[in-house]
Amino acid sequence: MNKKQIQNILKESSVSEELKHIAHTVLAGKRISPDEGLLFYKKGDLGFLGMLANYIREKKNKSNTYFNKNIHIEPTNICINHCKFCSYSRRQNEAGSWELSCDDILKKITGYKDAGITEVHIVGGVHPDRDLHFYGNLIRQIKKILPHIYVKAFTAVELDYMIKKSGYTIENGLKKLKGYGLDAIPGGGAEIFDEKIRKQICDEKSDSGLWLKIHEKAHQMGIPTNAAMLYGHIENYSHRIDHLDRLRKLQDITGMFQTFIPLKFRNKNNNLSHIKETTLVEDLKNYAVSRIFLDNFPHIKAYWPMIGKEVTQLSLSYGVDDIDGTIEDTTKIYSMAGSEEQKPALACDEIATLIKQVNRKPMERDTLYNVIRAY
Ligand code: V47
Ligand code: SF4
């Protein structure tokens, strides 16, 4: 729908005058305030928010829907932290713990030599004994086997620990990792920035200021990063808007966030299992408000293994233009938390079909969003 059509619909609709006023701000290409974002969350119905989010999505990315050919490596689930929402972390030697050596990982990587993947995504637990050089060497060895691969690795929380363990400042640690071959940083570890909520769900984790600082320093040295938000647990709409606002402010300064990923809290096998998961309407609304509020983020990602293929298709009408990658059944983290896809793997053609079924244009991309193939 174009601007004129939306303006006409708004004229006829029963939407309140205060929401209409904010909608006109969005249509005029202006930024909405945190209070206005909050009002959207609280009072905006799904059709209204979806219409505006889709307008922004198409203005920024047309019908293009991005994905890549990627694998995940989860080197270990041994972790020094005890985040209440986490379903996969274990103590050292605890039943169910895993710890892949550098050689184990390189063997896996060798199996993908001819698979045409363009990205290795590495995220895992914060292992007490592994430092920056262990992981740096891992990146270097991976790139010897797959020289053209982008390595997008380690949440800011993992980075914080490994950099300090090796005695570097954040700046020098990131420089060192860049030298080893780190190309980009994923969006995890952000959870919810609000200090009171963070204390209740992941007290031991690097704090919000540090998460933002690590991403800022990475941006300053030319390393692009993603940003996530874990929602649907004990936070409320104000906490979500505060989270989005802190990201928007940093993006105003650096411009190096590539995509924003709302991560729906899944409640299996963790210490927050008593919390009911959010509904489909709530999930779509969250994508829509994120798309509208984060006017300086180029992309909004729906992580398909977490929410499933059909919800991913729906999300493409609520602001989402990026659906992660082929994955090749290489992640356990989310299946342990009860995600939709227990063995996530899709061939490029299957992803393209999913996207085309909802009249969007599939675009295979690399980690930096350069288009590799338009379908
Ligand atoms: O920070 C952990 C989340 C994140 C649960 O950058 C959970 O492209 C829901 O970094 N329910 C790590 N979420 C994941 C991550 C990521 C994932 C996909 C794409 C990208 C990207 C990055 O996983 C953690 C936490 O927020 N998580 N447990 C759970 N029970
Ligand atoms: Fe550790 Fe990450 Fe799980 Fe927290 S979410 S316990 S930091 S693995």
Side-chain angles (χ1 to χ4, degrees), residues 42-60:
K42 285 184 173 163
K43 298 196 175 160
D45 69 45
L46 188 57
F48 167 78
L49 293 173
M51 183 172 69
L52 291 176
N54 194 52
Y55 171 75
I56 306 289
R57 183 246 202 257
E58 291 184 354
K59 209 164 94 171
K60 283 185 183 289

Side-chain angles (χ1 to χ4, degrees), residues 70 72 83-88 119 121 123 152 154-155 157-158 185-191 205 211 225-231 259 261 263-268 270 277 301 303 306 322 324 333-334 336-338 365 369:
N70 65 350
H72 284 220
C83 303
K84 290 204 176 124
F85 52 79
C86 181
S87 311
Y88 73 98
E119 178 183 277
H121 165 123
V123 167
K152 180 182 79 181
F154 315 124
T155 65
V157 175
E158 293 164 85
I185 294 175
E191 319 314 357
K205 214 164 208 167
W211 189 98
T225 77
N226 296 339
M229 172 173 78
L230 182 72
Y231 73 94
T259 191
I261 314 144
L263 292 170
K264 171 193 175 91
F265 165 65
R266 305 309 307 243
N267 69 3
K268 300 282 172 308
N270 58 51
E277 290 182 357
K301 181 189 280 193
Y303 184 56
M306 186 69 106
D322 179 7
D324 207 85
I333 299 183
Y334 313 99
M336 289 168 82
R365 62 163 176 89
Y369 291 80

